[in-house]
Amino acid sequence: MSSARHGRNTDETGRWAEAQAALLVSNELQNRRALRVVAGRATDLSDCTELLAMLGLDVRTGHSGD
């Protein structure tokens, strides 16, 4: 394997890692917004918990349960 090719793979890996990090930040922001909207519109704690579960959010943390 040539060093030029190895360098290109490193650049691609770096861009991939940056894209993944940006995706995680974006998802976290979306989850927080969803949590606020659901909490503001839920009729009670049980309703809020159920709605968050439907969205796949961890009720205790507001994070995705993935």
Side-chain angles (χ1 to χ4, degrees):
M1 178 183 289
S2 73
S3 62
R5 181 162 176 83
H6 180 69
R8 188 175 73 203
N9 286 341
T10 301
D11 290 343
E12 290 172 5
T13 301
R15 286 194 303 271
W16 175 258
E18 288 173 10
Q20 290 298 313
L23 178 63
L24 290 174
V25 169
S26 175
N27 285 343
E28 180 65 26
L29 289 172
Q30 275 188 314
N31 289 347
R32 287 180 187 174
R33 288 180 187 134
L35 181 63
R36 286 187 195 121
V37 169
V38 168
R41 298 190 183 256
T43 57
D44 58 18
L45 180 59
S46 177
D47 187 39
C48 184
T49 302
E50 186 176 344
L51 291 169
L52 289 173
M54 287 180 192
L55 292 174
L57 296 175
D58 185 326
V59 176
R60 294 164 300 198
T61 63
H63 295 273
S64 175
D66 297 340

